[in-house]
Amino acid sequence: MKINKYLKEQRKKAKLTQAKIAKLAGISERAYQQYEADKRIPNVYTAQLIAQALHTTVEELFPLPASANAGGDKPDDSQENK
């Protein structure tokens, strides 16, 4: 699922308009509309503001694809103790 789908889903779950979320997050309505339309991606700070406005977390609002969690951050055991 694309990021914009999560945004819209969470906004509808919260029963808020795009204008209300933008106001709560302190961003322009146009910017929020572009995030939901998948024309822009919010920076980390803006993502945190939107998540707070929706009473959720950035991780819930912008989940990583399953393949992104496939061990990429784990140290390679074969390189230890060499």
Side-chain angles (χ1 to χ4, degrees), residues 19-57:
K20 185 65 175 176
I21 296 245
K23 184 176 181 176
L24 290 169
I27 61 174
S28 73
E29 183 177 351
R30 180 72 180 133
Y32 183 82
Q33 289 169 343
Q34 289 179 332
Y35 302 143
E36 250 190 44
D38 205 25
K39 292 183 180 180
R40 289 175 57 188
I41 297 173
N43 63 34
V44 174
Y45 179 71
T46 303
Q48 289 174 326
L49 294 172
I50 293 169
Q52 286 177 345
L54 288 168
H55 303 289
T56 189
T57 65

Side-chain angles (χ1 to χ4, degrees), residues 1 3-4 12 16 18-19 23 26 28-32 35 37-38 43 48-49 60-62 64 74 79 81:
M1 187 182 282
I3 288 173
N4 63 324
K12 288 189 176 231
L16 296 171
Q18 290 178 338
K23 184 176 181 176
S28 73
E29 183 177 351
R30 180 72 180 133
Y32 183 82
Y35 302 143
D38 205 25
N43 63 34
Q48 289 174 326
L49 294 172
E60 181 73 25
L61 200 53
F62 303 101
L64 292 173
K74 294 167 85 177
Q79 297 297 318
N81 301 324

